[in-house]
């Protein structure tokens, strides 16, 4: 049996909890495996573009294991590189699952935390791109997993370049990039274009979701995700990130309240607090969730805004007094960005007020951006008729800080504090099960007198 035939046969017979690889692979997966596992083929560089859920990690794990056992020279080294330790761990787990469930493999392969070794001494090393150590490596086999999702910063670009540059040093080496599509501005785009134009490359780029995923599930993801993120992850299409979070029309469609709403018994309220002292504003938003035919909506009951300056920063004692009043009236728990609010959080807790901290990070801010986008796009917010709030929401920007990770941003002459405060409350309401049952309200009178200024506190509708 030729080396390519034995490798493909071994891959086809690999078994894991999903089943036997050869029983589930599509024609496209078979074609990719046969091309990559042919050591005599003149093309030794491969780009495999696939959507989310298209067995990328499982396939590269299986192909790598098959090549290790049938094609690696004794003591040769291969590498599978992922963006970080978590993704690298998934590859290692997939290889370990094949070894554990495939009859006869347990004695031929040893799977350690970051290394898979055959009885011949050949090895497959699992690398994370967020660690050092790519320079000088001489890979006989190299897999780059989810390249388009790697952060587009010099550290990761250099990690890829140094790894890939090692391939020509080893006769017969093979390199595989397997990934969903990304942003056209990402460094991976030039590699994709090279794969489509260079005779030394094979480009396999599958458009659309895998055939085994329910179309209703894909449609649900389409509604949930930003259009660019959906296009990349589920359609495997290159897409530029959105600039504006929403449109004025979408925001205006959510304006259905005349003004602030009184507390109602048995309703679960959450207050989102975003603290700014000088340049940014401090904003407290009280909100609750209600069930309607189309799903859950978030109702903004009341919003407080404090505007400070360098000469006169926001007085946190005033903020504390209003928080206590709100906690008493609405019986709500608080969600707070702890930056600049640590002492305030301590004082509120000392008053037996429930406070959860929401530390801002790249990922957590991305969650808030996606949550606010989804609520506005699906018109699942109930907002007061407040020009300032509408203007802020309509002019928010989305800035992509790393592949698929967005943050809310604004023009230099605008703010995003009211939106952040709202998003903190909304995200908590939709992520957590209410502590007591909420009930629908048929009617409720709104407070009058929106816009009354009390000290530095501006009471605004909603």
């Amino acid at each position: 049996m030729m080396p390519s035939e034995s490798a493909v046969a071994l891959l086809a017979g690999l078994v894991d909890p999903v089943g036997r690889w050869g029983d589930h692979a599509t024609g496209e997966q078979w074609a990719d495996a046969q091309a990559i596992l042919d050591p005599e083929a003149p093309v030794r560089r491969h780009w495999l573009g696939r959507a989310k859920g298209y067995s990328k990690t499982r396939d590269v794990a299986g192909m790598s294991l098959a090549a290790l056992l049938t094609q690696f020279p004794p003591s040769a080294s291969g590498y599978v590189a992922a963006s970080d330790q978590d993704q690298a761990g998934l590859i290692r787990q997939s290889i370990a699952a094949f070894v554990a469930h495939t009859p006869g493999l347990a004695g031929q392969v040893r799977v350690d935390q970051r290394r898979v070794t055959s009885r011949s001494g050949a090895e497959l090393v699992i690398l994370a791109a967020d660690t050092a150590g790519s320079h000088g490596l001489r890979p006989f086999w190299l897999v780059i997993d989810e390249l388009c999702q790697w952060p587009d910063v010099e550290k990761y670009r250099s990690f890829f370049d140094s790894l890939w540059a090692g391939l020509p040093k080893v006769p017969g080496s093979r390199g595989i990039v397997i990934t969903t599509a990304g942003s056209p501005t990402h460094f991976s785009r030039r590699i994709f274009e090279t794969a489509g134009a260079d005779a030394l490359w094979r480009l396999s780029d599958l458009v659309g979701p895998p055939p085994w995923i329910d179309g209703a599930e894909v449609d649900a993801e389409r509604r949930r995700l930003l259009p660019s993120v959906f296009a990349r992850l589920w359609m495997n299409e290159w897409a530029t990130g959105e600039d504006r979070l929403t449109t004025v029309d979408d925001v205006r469609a959510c304006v259905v309240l005349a003004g602030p709403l009184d507390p109602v018994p048995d309703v679960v309220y959450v207050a989102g607090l975003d603290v700014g002292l000088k340049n940014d504003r401090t904003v407290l938003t009280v909100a609750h969730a209600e069930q309607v035919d189309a799903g859950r909506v978030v109702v903004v009951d009341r919003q407080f805004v404090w505007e400070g300056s360098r000469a006169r920063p926001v007085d946190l004692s005033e903020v504390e007094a209003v928080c206590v009043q709100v906690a008493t009236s609405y019986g709500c728990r608080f969600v707070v960005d702890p930056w600049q609010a640590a002492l305030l959080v301590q004082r509120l807790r000392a008053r037996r007020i429930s406070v959860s901290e929401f530390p801002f990070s790249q990922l957590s801010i991305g969650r808030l951006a996606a949550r606010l986008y989804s609520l506005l796009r699906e018109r699942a917010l109930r907002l007061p008729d407040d020009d300032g709030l509408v203007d802020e929401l309509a002019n928010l920007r989305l800035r992509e800080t790393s592949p698929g990770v967005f943050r809310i941003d604004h023009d230099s002459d605008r703010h995003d504090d009211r939106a952040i405060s709202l998003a903190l409350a909304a995200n908590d309401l939709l992520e957590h099960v209410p502590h007591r049952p909420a009930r629908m309200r048929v009617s409720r009178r709104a407070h009058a007198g929106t816009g009354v200024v009390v000290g530095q506190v501006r009471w605004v509708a909603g």
Side-chain angles (χ1 to χ4, degrees), residues 420-434:
I420 294 294
S421 171
L422 190 162
L424 284 170
N427 186 68
D428 190 84
L429 283 164
L430 297 179
E431 279 194 350
H432 298 93
V433 177

Side-chain angles (χ1 to χ4, degrees), residues 294-318:
R296 298 188 80 195
V297 299
V298 173
V299 180
V300 177
D301 294 85
R302 185 179 285 276
Q303 194 172 74
F304 307 88
V305 178
W306 292 261
E307 297 190 55
S309 65
R310 290 187 179 276
R312 191 185 178 195
V314 170
D315 186 345
L316 290 183
S317 65
E318 292 188 14

Side-chain angles (χ1 to χ4, degrees), residues 82-130:
S83 59
D84 52 37
Q85 294 287 356
D86 290 340
Q87 186 67 24
L90 295 177
I91 298 170
R92 184 259 180 200
Q93 292 169 19
S94 189
I95 293 174
F98 280 133
V99 173
H101 291 83
T102 304
L105 281 191
Q108 298 186 46
V109 183
R110 186 178 73 249
V111 181
D112 298 320
Q113 190 65 25
R114 292 285 178 259
R115 197 175 304 268
V116 182
T117 310
S118 71
R119 296 178 65 179
S120 71
E123 65 178 5
L124 185 67
V125 181
I126 313 297
L127 294 176
D130 57 0

Side-chain angles (χ1 to χ4, degrees), residues 263 267-272 284-288 301 304 322-335 348 352-356 425 428-429 435-436:
V267 171
V268 175
Y269 295 97
V270 171
L284 175 66
T285 301
V286 182
H288 71 278
D301 294 85
F304 307 88
V322 173
C323 287
V324 172
Q325 179 185 352
V326 165
T328 302
S329 301
Y330 289 87
C332 58
R333 65 181 184 272
F334 287 70
V335 183
L348 292 177
R352 300 184 181 276
I353 295 173
S354 175
V355 181
S356 299
D428 190 84
L429 283 164
H435 297 303
R436 58 182 187 269

